[in-house]
Amino acid sequence: MRKAKWAAAAAGVVLLVAGCGSKGGTDQGKGADAPTSGSSAPASSPAAGKDSGGALDAAAVKKEIDAAATGAGYAEKPGDDVPANLKSCMVSWVADAKKATDSKKSYDDTVAALAKGGWKESRTFDQQGSVIKSLDKSGWTVKASHAGKAGALLVVQFVATDNGPTCAKAFQEDLAKNKQ
């Protein structure tokens, strides 16, 4: 059951990273020349890491998300671990939104802190109380989402994926394996 949940999450992230599911969103006014989140340089390319001085890996991405989110007032909520075969390709950080004084402000502050750290906002989906922002850096994409309302079901999470071909293959293999 847990593997199926991760397969569904990975599929959703891969689709979002590829640019699907952006209906109703904006491309932040960047025009037709703006790259989609799926066209970022892979982490192993020479262009990767030019924003941060070196290629990012999952540990570095996790550290950046953790620093931004905890600095904004969130605590990390224990959750399911990323499957072993995807640990180098994916980071999942779920906020314990109930512990934040103002969850929406903490979300906005987290996104702003990531932007100050070199993450470039490429896409926003904002509809009916749910916000998903795509932020790109060094071949990685973070999907920052704030869905729901305080007092009801509220989910705040930051899921990062490596957009390189090695990780794309790993996600596809994981999905195929878990379809059975």
Side-chain angles (χ1 to χ4, degrees):
M1 181 68 148
R2 185 172 283 192
K3 283 187 177 188
K5 187 163 66 169
W6 270 112
V13 169
V14 169
L15 288 174
L16 285 171
V17 169
C20 297
S22 63
K23 185 177 181 182
T26 63
D27 286 334
Q28 300 298 315
K30 292 184 181 182
D33 294 332
T36 62
S37 56
S39 64
S40 297
S44 61
S45 77
K50 73 179 185 180
D51 294 333
S52 63
L56 289 177
D57 62 9
V61 170
K62 169 103 171 142
K63 185 176 179 181
E64 288 187 30
I65 293 170
D66 188 60
T70 57
Y74 283 128
E76 186 173 11
K77 184 178 180 178
D80 293 338
D81 289 330
V82 173
N85 61 320
L86 298 178
K87 281 191 185 245
S88 65
C89 298
M90 183 176 174
V91 172
S92 178
W93 200 100
V94 179
D96 190 344
K98 292 178 183 176
K99 292 186 179 177
T101 305
D102 181 343
S103 182
K104 184 64 170 99
K105 182 180 181 327
S106 292
Y107 170 81
D108 291 339
D109 290 350
T110 301
V111 170
L114 289 169
K116 285 181 184 175
W119 290 87
K120 307 282 187 241
E121 191 173 325
S122 61
R123 210 167 265 215
T124 298
F125 174 84
D126 190 353
Q127 189 173 25
Q128 299 177 356
S130 295
V131 178
I132 302 172
K133 294 183 181 255
S134 297
L135 301 117
D136 301 315
K137 180 178 176 180
S138 300
W140 282 78
T141 297
V142 171
K143 295 295 181 185
S145 63
H146 187 280
K149 296 179 182 177
L153 178 62
L154 176 62
V155 178
V156 179
Q157 63 183 3
F158 304 89
V159 178
T161 55
D162 182 330
N163 300 322
T166 301
C167 287
K169 182 179 178 187
F171 284 123
Q172 289 173 345
E173 288 171 353
D174 190 67
L175 284 171
K177 178 177 74 174
N178 288 303
K179 272 187 174 181
Q180 300 169 2

